[in-house]
Amino acid sequence: MEIYETQPERTDLPLVVMPVIIESMIEPFEKNFELLKDIARVRMYKDFTLDEDTIVERCAEADVIMVIGFHCADSILDRLNAKCYAFGGTGVASYIDLDKAKERGIRVCNVVHYGDHAVAEHTIALLMELARQVGKLDRQVKTGDWDGADGYELYGKKLGIIGLGGIGQTVARIAGALGMNVSAWNSHVPEQVFADLNITPVNDMNELIAGSDVVSIHMPLLDSTKGIVTAENLEALKPGTMFINTARAEIIEPGALLARLQRGDIPAALDVFEHEPLTADDPLCSIPGIILTPHTAWRTDGAYVGITRQVVQSVAAFCKGEDFNVVV
């Protein structure tokens, strides 16, 4: 196993361990480790595994752990003594138990606004796939089938956005350029945002959902947003309404989305799930007309630049007794 290390002789410095890494993120991380010179030593394992025992073994001596791509379950927290977890994403609550971390005096950091364009573009890619079925058509042609399929024109259709932060606003801009009519749930969003982006505010979530041809979720996962989209809200989906979630599955009441989709009248595209990684025998995989991607909306070259920089900055701040992107 190849291991990348900085200042290994400086045993007087805190040890920062990255137990697994996505290959395409190695180079951007290496470029940022200079920020930790004379502050901390780094040990980065240049492979990717979800095996919990391997992760724990690699992090046994760590003072700080960089969490990239794996869920830091309670069973991992309980077996380690690290005092800071630097998470390479925004919605850290679905990867680390924040209450447990707080009880144990563990700092948890995240990264912010690194992937507004990355996630928004993936959202639009999913929307286009639902509307024009490019993947299906590609498979048809390659097997000698020239039947094709009817497309769904997005121009003039109504997009309802739940969550109008950086990602939601970026989706709104792109959808507006496509000629869609954009509305959004009016939840703690400044009036000027709606005015600047020509978005119609809707106070009632049921009304927003019922009046949309496409519904897209873009809320962050917080205590206040967990399960905020209820089974009752999903009842407002008209048959044929396209439903997209690139935020977090936990935004939706547990089990509610599966129950709604199993009726078979809602084309949906999902990048996030209640249990990850999704297994082939998951009920979602057997529903016709559903597009599933493996939580990859955030994974772009541009997003990696922001992620790696902020993760290293949060580690440097912790080691220097400062604050940067602290969640708990």
Side-chain angles (χ1 to χ4, degrees):
M1 168 46 50
E2 186 177 358
I3 301 174
Y4 175 93
E5 293 188 88
T6 67
Q7 307 176 97
E9 72 288 349
R10 291 292 307 273
T11 55
D12 58 308
L13 297 176
L15 175 61
V16 180
V17 174
M18 186 179 297
V20 303
I21 184 63
I22 296 168
E23 184 178 0
S24 48
M25 297 182 76
I26 292 175
E27 183 178 349
F29 262 117
E30 289 179 348
K31 289 181 178 178
N32 283 297
F33 286 148
E34 181 65 24
L35 295 174
L36 297 176
K37 181 175 175 58
D38 296 327
I39 296 173
R41 52 197 169 108
V42 175
R43 184 181 300 160
M44 177 172 67
Y45 291 83
K46 289 188 171 184
D47 72 338
F48 190 84
T49 177
L50 294 176
D51 180 71
E52 183 174 306
D53 289 336
T54 301
I55 291 172
V56 169
E57 179 182 353
R58 292 176 176 182
C59 295
E61 302 174 0
D63 299 293
V64 179
I65 298 172
M66 295 181 177
V67 181
I68 304 293
F70 70 95
H71 286 257
C72 199
D74 287 357
S75 52
I76 292 180
L77 287 177
D78 290 339
R79 296 165 66 185
L80 296 172
N81 296 310
K83 288 302 180 183
C84 178
Y85 288 75
F87 175 64
T90 301
V92 65
S94 57
Y95 280 75
I96 300 173
D97 186 330
L98 299 181
D99 290 334
K100 191 178 188 70
K102 188 173 183 179
E103 289 172 6
R104 294 185 52 182
I106 297 172
R107 174 182 289 192
V108 178
C109 304
N110 69 348
V111 298
V112 296
H113 296 301
Y114 70 91
D116 289 357
H117 292 281
V119 179
E121 289 174 11
H122 193 79
T123 299
I124 298 299
L126 293 175
L127 174 57
M128 287 293 190
E129 182 62 28
L130 287 174
R132 302 308 300 262
Q133 304 180 64
V134 172
K136 175 182 176 180
L137 295 172
D138 171 69
R139 292 189 296 272
Q140 281 185 5
V141 172
K142 290 176 179 176
T143 57
D145 184 346
W146 201 253
D147 286 345
D150 295 333
Y152 181 82
E153 190 166 298
L154 297 175
Y155 180 83
K157 298 301 193 301
K158 297 176 181 178
L159 168 64
I161 295 176
I162 300 175
L164 201 57
I167 296 171
Q169 291 178 35
T170 306
V171 169
R173 291 188 186 95
I174 300 172
L178 293 173
M180 299 188 76
N181 298 312
V182 183
S183 300
W185 186 41
N186 188 11
S187 174
H188 310 296
V189 179
E191 292 183 9
Q192 195 61 44
V193 172
F194 289 101
D196 290 346
L197 297 176
N198 194 28
I199 299 172
T200 302
V202 180
N203 294 326
D204 182 78
M205 189 184 295
N206 283 350
E207 180 183 342
L208 175 74
I209 292 173
S212 298
D213 300 303
V214 180
V215 174
S216 193
I217 308 293
H218 297 290
M219 300 198 84
L221 179 58
L222 309 167
D223 288 341
S224 59
T225 62
K226 196 169 187 179
I228 198 168
V229 179
T230 66
E232 178 190 351
N233 296 141
L234 296 181
E235 284 296 320
L237 286 166
K238 299 175 300 186
T241 301
M242 296 179 178
F243 185 89
I244 301 171
N245 190 4
T246 54
R248 285 290 190 274
E250 294 87 346
I251 299 297
I252 304 170
E253 180 183 332
L257 182 60
L258 174 61
R260 183 65 188 85
L261 295 181
Q262 283 181 323
R263 298 185 201 174
D265 62 349
I266 298 296
L270 310 174
D271 188 54
V272 290
F273 309 94
E274 291 183 9
H275 303 286
E276 297 182 1
L278 199 69
T279 55
D281 60 353
D282 191 282
L284 281 170
C285 296
S286 61
I287 302 175
I290 306 299
I291 305 297
L292 309 176
T293 55
H295 204 149
T296 55
W298 61 280
R299 290 177 59 177
T300 68
D301 55 344
Y304 289 160
V305 173
I307 291 171
T308 55
R309 182 77 175 182
Q310 290 187 51
V311 167
V312 175
Q313 285 177 308
S314 67
V315 171
F318 172 75
C319 294
K320 293 189 292 184
E322 301 170 356
D323 291 345
F324 185 83
N325 287 355
V326 176
V327 179
V328 297

